[in-house]
Amino acid sequence: MSAYLIDGKAIANTIQDELVVEVQALKETHGLVPGLATVLVGDNVASQTYVRMKRKRCADVGIYSVGHELSKEATQEEVEALVRSLNADPAIHGILVQLPLPRHLDEEAVLSTVALQKDVDGFHPVNIGRLAMKGRDPLFAPATPSGIIELLDRVGAPIEGKQAVVLGRSNIVGLPVSMLLLKRNATITICHSRTQDLPAVTRQADILIAAVGRTEMVKRDWVKPGVVVIDVGINRVDDPEAKRGYRLVGDVAFDEVAEVASWITPVPGGVGPMTIAMLLKNTVTAAKRVAGLL
Ligand code: NDP
């Protein structure tokens, strides 16, 4: 392997350590305790795990968190009423509605109910709209895309003027990370399932973001030497030797691409750990804004 490893776990730990200090100072100097409310609707096991992890990490850095759980039969009005009550709660600076919501609920309407200044997940349509507009900035950007930019910044990989190719155009990763890269003056190509001759496109990339959910799709001959590779994909492959019977791999054939890349994220341990770190960071930012410290 000739590429340098972008150690997302270590970078996320550093961010967490920085937040511990910041949260402590907010308490001591301003009597301010950042607060995050999570809203979980239904009994999706993966969502329950994500919410638990997020609340545990809040506790680790000294952020107050409160978890709200509604049954899978909850009505639109019940969910929106809960969000409105959290909007009005001064101890809560950030509201996280765990997605996906059960199918009978109108997700966009729920996300629109979150107060803009508490939208620490960055999914309020106004924040997304601002993300997409020149000369405007969202109050918060979604956590995984922000984490990708943070990784590039923390290893000193330049963005401005670079050719960035993003594989995937989802609302949670591909599209918002493209907008963030554009705001940082990269030249963007967004690819998706209808893109013709993907390898010819990805070979143009100085920065390649892979967020498609296809096991090891990006091969060595898909990239040019020196590319910076951020692998967002999380795919399970059967592995009888692994404790759980499977292991996680990314959208990039790590071993072969690492031979030619300059920087590369591993899976796991790359983008994954950054998502919660950025959510915590957004929550602290939200609290500082309320206190007039930003
Ligand atoms: P989606 O399924 O919502 O989007 C996948 C995107 O990839 C779509 O835009 C799709 O195109 C495109 N795509 C699918 N197959 C191909 C293909 N063969 N060639 C080119 N493009 C293709 O996924 P997400 O964005 O939610 O997630 C992507 C990956 O990132 C997943 O593995 C997910 O688990 C992981 N992830 C990791 C996170 C983390 O680390 N914290 C957070 C979120 C996601 P089209 O639009 O045309 O359908």
Side-chain angles (χ1 to χ4, degrees):
M1 165 168 165
S2 67
Y4 292 103
L5 198 69
I6 304 178
D7 186 343
K9 203 169 168 198
I11 293 173
N13 283 340
T14 303
I15 292 171
Q16 201 162 310
D17 291 345
E18 291 165 2
L19 289 174
V20 169
V21 174
E22 208 173 346
V23 168
Q24 186 65 29
L26 284 174
K27 276 180 202 164
E28 283 171 10
T29 318
H30 302 280
L32 178 67
V33 180
L36 176 74
T38 58
V39 176
L40 177 63
V41 187
D43 47 17
N44 180 311
V45 175
S47 293
Q48 289 169 337
T49 307
Y50 292 142
V51 166
R52 209 168 35 243
M53 284 163 59
K54 287 167 185 175
R55 293 197 57 209
K56 180 181 178 307
R57 297 272 291 278
C58 278
D60 291 345
V61 301
I63 293 175
Y64 161 71
S65 84
V66 54
H68 292 271
E69 294 185 11
L70 296 177
S71 83
K72 62 176 186 291
E73 284 90 27
T75 64
Q76 186 77 25
E77 183 42 44
E78 282 169 330
V79 182
E80 290 184 18
L82 171 58
V83 172
R84 277 194 297 273
S85 74
L86 296 170
N87 285 343
D89 184 344
I92 296 301
H93 304 97
I95 300 169
L96 176 129
V97 179
Q98 185 65 42
L99 302 178
L101 291 171
R103 292 167 72 93
H104 68 279
L105 295 172
D106 179 344
E107 195 168 284
E108 186 167 343
V110 172
L111 294 176
S112 302
T113 309
V114 176
L116 267 190
Q117 62 276 17
K118 297 192 179 187
D119 178 38
V120 288
D121 229 4
F123 288 135
H124 190 295
V126 171
N127 274 327
I128 295 286
R130 287 181 185 169
L131 185 64
M133 290 168 89
K134 189 172 182 217
R136 309 264 171 92
D137 284 313
L139 283 173
F140 303 98
T144 302
S146 304
I148 292 168
I149 302 296
E150 189 83 20
L151 286 177
L152 293 170
D153 285 342
R154 296 238 175 188
V155 301
I159 299 175
E160 181 158 330
K162 298 297 178 188
Q163 289 283 346
V165 175
V166 179
L167 296 178
R169 56 175 166 181
S170 73
N171 288 333
I172 61 166
V173 190
L175 218 55
V177 77
S178 301
M179 296 302 116
L180 287 173
L181 289 163
L182 189 59
K183 282 194 186 297
R184 293 287 298 272
N185 298 319
T187 302
I188 314 297
T189 306
I190 305 174
C191 302
H192 44 77
S193 62
R194 317 286 165 84
T195 301
Q196 306 273 307
D197 197 358
L198 269 181
V201 181
T202 55
R203 274 195 290 271
Q204 307 296 316
D206 301 311
I207 299 170
L208 179 63
I209 315 288
V212 289
R214 297 276 180 270
T215 302
E216 299 185 332
M217 186 174 87
V218 176
K219 310 290 186 205
R220 181 185 177 135
D221 64 351
W222 286 40
V223 300
K224 73 176 175 192
V227 63
V228 177
V229 179
I230 306 288
D231 189 354
V232 190
I234 303 175
N235 310 290
R236 280 184 186 192
V237 295
D238 291 340
D239 182 351
E241 282 170 27
K243 210 163 58 184
R244 297 180 187 160
Y246 66 86
R247 65 195 158 85
L248 298 179
V249 298
D251 291 343
V252 176
F254 181 88
D255 290 342
E256 53 185 90
V257 172
E259 294 293 328
V260 286
S262 59
W263 289 92
I264 188 166
T265 57
V267 176
V271 177
M274 293 299 287
T275 300
I276 298 183
M278 298 313 287
L279 170 71
L280 303 183
K281 203 169 162 160
N282 279 351
T283 304
V284 173
T285 299
K288 285 163 75 179
R289 280 208 188 108
V290 168
L293 300 171
L294 281 180

